[in-house]
Amino acid sequence: MKNILKITVLLSLVIYMFSACESFSKKEKKEIKTIIKEKIDTVIVENTKEKEIVKIIYDTVYVETDTAVSEIKKEEKIFRDPLPAWNDTKTKNRIIDFVKSLTDRKSPDYVAPDYRIAAFDQEGTLWPEKPLYFQIEFMFDRIKEMASDHPEWKKNKLIKAALDKDEEKIQRAGAEGLFKLSTLTQANMTVEQYNGIILNWINTSRHPTTGRLYKEMVYKPMIELINYLKDNGFKVYIVTESGLGFIRPWVEQIYGIPKEQVIGSRRRLKWTEQNGKHVLMRDQEILYINDKANKVISIEQIIGKRPLISLGNSDNDIFMLQWTTEGKGKRLAGLIHHTDAEREWAYDKDSKIGHLEKGLQLAKKNNWMVVDMKNDWKVIY
Amino acid sequence: MKNILKITVLLSLVIYMFSACESFSKKEKKEIKTIIKEKIDTVIVENTKEKEIVKIIYDTVYVETDTAVSEIKKEEKIFRDPLPAWNDTKTKNRIIDFVKSLTDRKSPDYVAPDYRIAAFDQEGTLWPEKPLYFQIEFMFDRIKEMASDHPEWKKNKLIKAALDKDEEKIQRAGAEGLFKLSTLTQANMTVEQYNGIILNWINTSRHPTTGRLYKEMVYKPMIELINYLKDNGFKVYIVTESGLGFIRPWVEQIYGIPKEQVIGSRRRLKWTEQNGKHVLMRDQEILYINDKANKVISIEQIIGKRPLISLGNSDNDIFMLQWTTEGKGKRLAGLIHHTDAEREWAYDKDSKIGHLEKGLQLAKKNNWMVVDMKNDWKVIY
């Protein structure tokens, strides 16, 4: 019995090590553990001679573990598809080939995990941007919520347009109008207060045309891609023109991405006191618009490493894609092309939101990947 | 022989898993591997009967590994000091107690690894700041290097003062003078070019009074503290008033901290083209001075999580320490007090550089930790 105890301890150690190792995925570990545990149970029950047990358990652990690992690896290659929501097209194969060549130690394109940086745009790349950017929808929802406390707003034309969701009037008010609505709904509160408002909104608010919760409109193929990259040691950053504070509160919950991997437009923050404690107040001034070349500058200032892969969907993302592909070694730049009027929206050069024209020309010239939503994606959400 | 091969494979697997597991420190892994490897060699040579070999190797791996692990654990508890360069004072015990209570799953103060954020000031906290901030020393060195290509500089009083290292004249030129020297030495080049210049400087330049390479002037007790925190799942950020581009190039080499964990003062960057490729040029404008409350604002904008532990050494760091300790749960704020005129420098309220006065008062009031360099540190570098 003493030996059996020892063996059990050893096997537990092996199992423990399997669990602790990062080289196996969660699914693999679970399957291996199940196999080993089952074998221990049957072996200890069915045999009595200690010496034999040592041998059998040893063989079992070795053979079964080995078989399990190789079978899972095979399954991974043949059956286990890392991107099941993607159709089996050139695009999907290109992504998989890219990731394999960067993570295979024997590949000339191998990159150490510390330098595996991915940068993804948010609006139109990870979720839709129609009929309006979701942060604008948030502002409309918020104004509606706040209106009952502000009877004086009734006289304000801009606020009335927001309450009526009158896109035309809002557009006529231009950037200045949006800035006013933004200040009204997103400034003059602490970062914690705003965080709470956004969390509440993302968990309860619904999109005007699909009726889905906004958080249920994140593209399933992109979630898979994020997970696939994460499983392969990539640090995935969201690099968005949307407000940092608008995206950051829910990225852990929705993407499994830590808060520090969001780079967005930034409002000036003010260090001040409230009820005897220091707070950071969201000021009225927008400090940094994180679009176009500013996305590249933020990547340099905040990460300091050039992405190996970046994905966007509009001409605003061209800069980030150029910065990515002009780096040394193998790189991948991609554009999500909204081609699916039935399941999502179809637009490119004729749309103001998500305008994509020069990007498609550059994609052809530079061999960037163009994701055709209609043909490359099995499902959208 | 077939079995021996199998056993070797199994043992390699065990060894491999030991290597891959994060739960063992590098030292532990090395010792375990050595023991197992030695035993494999002797056992395979000394025995012939296959069955016996299976048993013996098994026992060897199990017993020796187990012994090694438990011995190392014991040593870790009793003998292996995570902070050997620190004297056995209250300060050291406070740090260790703090880390233990945040990382022990059974502790009420337990914090999940994703939220273990540490923020350390650089100048005066991780290396000295006397006689002048090291970035100023760099500028002087750089001007000297560049002077031969700029005969016109001879007429310039400010540059002459820099070449003569005439601190008094430099100080009289004030912030504006420093800004001019900074532009001369640190602007109008690409981020890659500046990166190369800094890497070369840190690896070759020596401090004017100690004669040591600057990179050899990083405080040994602080390196140990960084490693101790990292070993316990903390993400350690450097939050410095020095230029981001001045600190970032060498943090991997010197601290083992990834580049994205440096937050510093930031120069405006310009997206432009050079020889047919896009580059980021370091512009003449300094965009963000990362001092005082700006450190807190950067922490919020870039990390988005409040540090659990932060360390500084001057009144400029008070804001960061307040932000840290005013968060919920157990927190630790600390000030490095330069008290060792013999081994380093001794200064506080009477020094312009690293001025520390209000900080010491607040430390008393708020029970912040004050690190007494003379008494708490066994060695400095």
Side-chain angles (χ1 to χ4, degrees):
Chain A
M1 276 312 288
K2 211 179 159 193
N3 267 348
I4 292 179
L5 202 69
K6 274 190 184 180
I7 295 156
T8 312
V9 171
L10 175 66
L11 292 176
S12 308
L13 196 71
V14 172
I15 292 164
Y16 163 75
M17 282 186 290
F18 266 119
S19 322
C21 279
E22 288 201 344
S23 34
F24 297 98
S25 75
K26 270 187 191 163
K27 199 187 153 202
E28 284 169 0
K29 280 176 200 164
K30 213 176 152 188
E31 292 183 26
I32 293 166
K33 276 165 75 175
T34 311
I35 291 166
I36 294 176
K37 274 186 183 158
E38 273 173 12
K39 289 295 163 183
I40 293 172
D41 291 346
T42 52
V43 166
I44 290 180
V45 172
E46 287 166 15
N47 294 276
T48 42
K49 275 171 71 193
E50 267 194 25
K51 263 194 174 176
E52 283 302 303
I53 292 174
V54 178
K55 180 81 178 67
I56 290 166
I57 293 191
Y58 156 69
D59 276 343
T60 308
V61 172
Y62 169 64
V63 176
E64 294 294 339
T65 305
D66 195 51
T67 311
V69 170
S70 73
E71 260 176 22
I72 288 163
K73 294 265 178 229
K74 208 162 51 183
E75 189 200 353
E76 187 182 359
K77 268 181 203 145
I78 305 168
F79 303 108
R80 203 187 104 190
D81 183 346
L83 303 171
W86 293 66
N87 285 319
D88 203 10
T89 60
K90 273 185 191 169
T91 310
K92 175 175 176 167
N93 291 330
R94 187 162 171 190
I95 293 170
I96 293 174
D97 286 349
F98 173 78
V99 171
K100 278 190 180 160
S101 71
L102 260 70
T103 53
D104 176 2
R105 283 183 179 276
K106 282 167 275 172
S107 156
D109 302 313
Y110 176 78
V111 176
D114 270 0
Y115 280 82
R116 292 183 201 154
I117 303 291
F120 285 14
D121 169 54
Q122 168 73 23
E123 312 300 327
T125 300
L126 295 179
W127 70 3
E129 54 191 353
K130 292 279 180 176
L132 291 167
Y133 292 122
F134 289 4
Q135 190 166 5
I136 296 178
E137 299 283 0
F138 159 76
M139 297 194 312
F140 289 171
D141 290 349
R142 184 76 190 142
I143 281 177
K144 208 172 157 187
E145 249 180 70
M146 295 166 76
S148 57
D149 291 337
H150 297 271
E152 76 279 9
W153 283 3
K154 277 182 187 152
K155 289 170 200 158
N156 186 312
K157 279 182 191 169
L158 180 67
I159 296 178
K160 199 177 172 304
L163 283 168
D164 298 343
K165 290 201 172 197
D166 188 333
E167 283 173 43
E168 213 173 294
K169 275 189 190 154
I170 296 284
Q171 281 202 347
R172 237 180 293 143
E176 207 189 328
L178 277 181
F179 177 74
K180 273 184 193 160
L181 294 177
S182 176
T183 303
L184 220 53
T185 52
Q186 304 182 95
N188 304 319
M189 59 182 94
T190 69
V191 291
E192 276 91 356
Q193 282 164 340
Y194 183 66
N195 191 68
I197 290 168
I198 295 301
L199 267 182
N200 180 53
W201 180 82
I202 195 81
N203 284 317
T204 59
S205 298
R206 290 180 185 275
H207 187 270
T209 61
T210 68
R212 283 172 174 263
L213 290 173
Y214 287 102
K215 67 175 180 180
E216 290 169 356
M217 288 183 73
V218 170
Y219 302 134
K220 197 174 181 201
M222 295 306 286
I223 297 278
E224 285 178 4
L225 179 53
I226 288 173
N227 286 332
Y228 178 50
L229 289 170
K230 278 168 59 190
D231 285 349
N232 280 282
F234 280 80
K235 228 173 171 173
V236 180
Y237 281 83
I238 295 173
V239 183
T240 175
E241 190 182 341
S242 287
L244 170 65
F246 177 68
I247 304 295
R248 189 191 264 161
W250 46 270
V251 293
E252 286 180 346
Q253 178 194 340
I254 312 285
Y255 302 123
I257 288 178
K259 288 181 199 289
E260 58 268 36
Q261 283 164 227
V262 181
I263 299 173
S265 292
R266 301 187 282 285
R267 197 171 274 279
R268 187 178 290 283
L269 299 180
K270 246 190 184 163
W271 169 259
T272 180
E273 275 190 59
Q274 209 176 61
N275 310 322
K277 270 198 171 186
H278 292 95
V279 290
L280 292 176
M281 290 294 288
R282 291 172 58 86
D283 207 0
Q284 302 201 2
E285 188 189 347
I286 293 170
L287 199 69
Y288 193 89
I289 307 276
N290 195 49
D291 72 342
K292 300 178 186 165
N294 275 355
K295 287 195 175 188
V296 176
I297 290 166
S298 292
I299 288 172
E300 173 61 24
Q301 301 276 36
I302 294 174
I303 314 176
K305 294 169 182 171
R306 210 187 274 244
L308 302 175
I309 171 170
S310 68
L311 284 167
N313 76 300
S314 83
D315 283 355
N316 280 340
D317 296 313
I318 289 173
F319 308 81
M320 183 165 79
L321 271 54
Q322 288 174 321
W323 185 244
T324 300
T325 52
E326 288 175 10
K328 279 176 206 157
K330 196 163 185 167
R331 309 278 168 150
L332 182 61
L335 285 165
I336 308 294
H337 193 189
H338 293 262
T339 50
D340 198 328
E342 220 164 283
R343 296 185 302 172
E344 207 242 4
W345 283 268
Y347 59 95
D348 46 38
K349 65 183 196 311
D350 296 325
S351 174
K352 210 175 160 184
I353 290 179
H355 182 82
L356 178 63
E357 185 168 11
K358 200 182 161 197
L360 288 174
Q361 293 157 14
L362 284 175
K364 208 170 246 176
K365 193 182 150 203
N366 299 319
N367 192 27
W368 290 348
M369 178 175 79
V370 177
V371 178
D372 177 343
M373 281 177 78
K374 190 173 179 178
N375 294 307
D376 287 330
W377 286 2
K378 215 171 276 174
V379 293
I380 303 288
Y381 307 120
Chain B
M1 276 316 284
K2 210 179 159 196
N3 267 347
I4 294 180
L5 203 69
K6 273 190 182 180
I7 295 156
T8 313
V9 171
L10 174 66
L11 292 176
S12 308
L13 195 71
V14 173
I15 292 165
Y16 162 76
M17 282 187 288
F18 266 117
S19 322
C21 279
E22 287 200 345
S23 35
F24 297 97
S25 74
K26 270 187 194 165
K27 199 187 152 202
E28 285 169 359
K29 281 177 200 164
K30 214 175 150 189
E31 292 183 28
I32 293 167
K33 275 164 76 176
T34 311
I35 291 166
I36 295 177
K37 274 187 184 155
E38 273 173 14
K39 289 296 164 183
I40 294 173
D41 291 345
T42 52
V43 166
I44 290 181
V45 172
E46 286 168 17
N47 294 276
T48 44
K49 274 172 69 192
E50 268 195 24
K51 263 197 172 174
E52 283 301 303
I53 292 173
V54 178
K55 180 81 178 68
I56 291 166
I57 294 191
Y58 157 70
D59 275 336
T60 309
V61 173
Y62 168 64
V63 176
E64 294 294 339
T65 307
D66 194 52
T67 310
V69 170
S70 74
E71 262 175 22
I72 287 163
K73 293 268 177 225
K74 207 162 52 182
E75 188 200 352
E76 187 182 1
K77 269 182 200 143
I78 305 167
F79 304 107
R80 203 187 105 191
D81 183 345
L83 302 170
W86 293 66
N87 284 318
D88 202 11
T89 60
K90 272 185 191 170
T91 310
K92 175 174 175 166
N93 292 330
R94 187 163 171 189
I95 293 171
I96 293 174
D97 286 348
F98 172 77
V99 170
K100 278 189 180 159
S101 71
L102 261 70
T103 53
D104 177 2
R105 282 182 179 277
K106 283 168 274 174
S107 155
D109 301 314
Y110 176 78
V111 176
D114 270 1
Y115 281 82
R116 292 183 201 155
I117 303 291
F120 284 15
D121 168 55
Q122 168 73 21
E123 314 298 326
T125 299
L126 296 179
W127 71 2
E129 54 192 351
K130 293 278 181 177
L132 291 167
Y133 292 121
F134 289 4
Q135 190 167 4
I136 297 178
E137 299 282 359
F138 158 76
M139 296 194 313
F140 289 170
D141 289 350
R142 184 76 191 143
I143 282 176
K144 209 173 157 187
E145 250 180 71
M146 294 167 78
S148 56
D149 292 336
H150 297 271
E152 77 279 11
W153 283 3
K154 277 180 189 154
K155 290 169 201 160
N156 185 312
K157 278 181 193 169
L158 180 68
I159 296 178
K160 201 179 170 302
L163 284 167
D164 298 343
K165 289 201 172 197
D166 188 332
E167 283 173 41
E168 211 174 295
K169 275 188 190 154
I170 295 284
Q171 282 203 347
R172 236 181 295 143
E176 207 189 328
L178 276 182
F179 176 74
K180 274 184 193 160
L181 294 177
S182 176
T183 302
L184 220 53
T185 51
Q186 303 182 98
N188 303 319
M189 60 182 94
T190 69
V191 290
E192 275 91 356
Q193 282 164 342
Y194 183 67
N195 191 66
I197 290 167
I198 296 301
L199 267 183
N200 180 53
W201 181 82
I202 196 80
N203 284 316
T204 58
S205 298
R206 289 179 185 276
H207 187 268
T209 61
T210 68
R212 282 173 175 262
L213 290 173
Y214 287 101
K215 66 175 180 180
E216 291 168 357
M217 289 183 73
V218 170
Y219 302 135
K220 196 173 179 201
M222 295 305 287
I223 296 279
E224 285 177 4
L225 179 53
I226 288 174
N227 286 331
Y228 178 50
L229 289 169
K230 278 169 58 189
D231 285 349
N232 281 281
F234 280 80
K235 227 172 172 174
V236 180
Y237 280 82
I238 295 173
V239 183
T240 175
E241 190 183 340
S242 288
L244 170 65
F246 177 68
I247 304 295
R248 189 190 265 160
W250 45 270
V251 292
E252 286 179 348
Q253 177 194 343
I254 311 287
Y255 301 125
I257 287 179
K259 288 181 199 287
E260 58 269 35
Q261 283 164 227
V262 181
I263 298 173
S265 291
R266 302 187 282 284
R267 197 171 273 278
R268 187 178 289 283
L269 300 180
K270 247 189 182 163
W271 169 260
T272 180
E273 275 190 59
Q274 208 177 61
N275 310 321
K277 270 197 172 186
H278 292 95
V279 292
L280 292 175
M281 290 294 288
R282 290 171 59 85
D283 206 0
Q284 302 200 3
E285 188 189 347
I286 293 170
L287 198 69
Y288 193 88
I289 306 277
N290 195 48
D291 73 342
K292 299 177 186 166
N294 275 355
K295 287 194 175 189
V296 176
I297 290 166
S298 292
I299 287 172
E300 173 61 23
Q301 303 275 36
I302 293 174
I303 314 176
K305 295 169 182 171
R306 211 186 273 244
L308 301 175
I309 170 170
S310 67
L311 284 166
N313 75 300
S314 83
D315 283 354
N316 280 340
D317 296 314
I318 289 173
F319 307 82
M320 183 165 77
L321 271 53
Q322 288 174 321
W323 186 244
T324 300
T325 52
E326 288 175 9
K328 279 176 204 156
K330 197 164 185 167
R331 310 276 166 150
L332 183 60
L335 285 165
I336 308 294
H337 194 191
H338 293 260
T339 50
D340 197 329
E342 220 164 283
R343 296 185 300 172
E344 207 243 3
W345 283 267
Y347 59 95
D348 45 39
K349 67 182 194 307
D350 296 324
S351 176
K352 209 176 162 184
I353 289 179
H355 181 82
L356 179 63
E357 186 169 7
K358 198 183 163 197
L360 288 174
Q361 293 158 13
L362 284 174
K364 207 172 249 177
K365 192 182 152 202
N366 299 319
N367 192 28
W368 292 347
M369 177 176 78
V370 177
V371 178
D372 177 343
M373 281 177 79
K374 190 172 179 179
N375 294 308
D376 287 330
W377 288 1
K378 215 171 275 173
V379 293
I380 304 288
Y381 306 120

